[in-house]
Amino acid sequence: MREEAEKWFRQALEDLATAKDTITTGHYYASSFWAEQAAEKALKALLIEGGKIERTHDLNALLEIIKEEMGLSVEEIRIEVNKLTLHYTISRYPDAANTVPYSLYSKEDAEELVKKAEKVIEWVKRNLH
């Protein structure tokens, strides 16, 4: 694996650990953000391994690039990516959430998003060379 891709993947794993930790402290909105970040960094690690650098935070866009330019089947994680990508902004910004973000998230929401991030990370792991 390319050194840069490995760094991104290792950070994805750390972000996933942070998402889990913030569930235990009751900061479910933060857990949701870190779950999205874990998935985003894992997908970017895969792109970097393929020689591509993408600056978007849109997980759906990253998935399409992986599909089109790397020729990988992405359907296995499409639902997870669709669910996670929203939380990059709504988990942090009152104007994006139309309320204070912390009030939107429950423990169950955070746990569900962590599971989705885990699935994305496992998929990326299987596709990294």
Side-chain angles (χ1 to χ4, degrees):
M1 182 185 321
R2 292 179 189 219
E3 182 180 349
E4 190 66 16
E6 182 183 356
K7 288 178 184 177
W8 279 80
F9 191 74
R10 284 179 29 222
Q11 188 61 50
L13 295 175
E14 189 62 26
D15 288 354
L16 182 63
T18 301
K20 292 176 181 180
D21 289 347
T22 50
I23 289 175
T24 65
T25 63
H27 296 101
Y28 308 128
Y29 73 99
S31 176
S32 301
F33 170 73
W34 288 113
E36 184 281 336
Q37 284 290 283
E40 179 181 326
K41 289 173 186 158
L43 293 171
K44 286 182 175 180
L46 184 57
L47 285 163
I48 291 166
E49 182 65 15
K52 300 174 186 343
I53 306 241
E54 293 297 329
R55 302 280 182 214
T56 184
H57 298 290
D58 182 342
L59 302 186
N60 288 307
L62 294 173
L63 208 60
E64 284 307 306
I65 295 164
I66 290 167
K67 178 183 174 184
E68 297 300 320
E69 296 188 25
M70 298 181 74
L72 294 174
S73 174
V74 298
E75 295 311 310
E76 182 180 337
I77 59 167
R78 186 168 300 280
I79 291 171
E80 287 74 18
V81 163
N82 281 335
K83 181 72 172 179
L84 284 162
T85 199
L86 303 170
H87 301 283
Y88 177 73
T89 53
I90 65 169
S91 65
R92 299 182 299 148
Y93 300 114
D95 58 338
N98 292 319
T99 188
V100 287
Y102 77 86
S103 70
L104 295 175
Y105 293 90
S106 67
K107 182 177 183 181
E108 293 75 23
D109 294 332
E111 289 172 339
E112 175 191 344
L113 291 168
V114 165
K115 286 179 185 169
K116 290 181 182 322
E118 287 174 328
K119 186 172 178 182
V120 171
I121 288 170
E122 284 304 312
W123 181 87
V124 167
K125 188 176 180 179
R126 286 194 315 270
N127 285 284
L128 277 171
H129 302 227

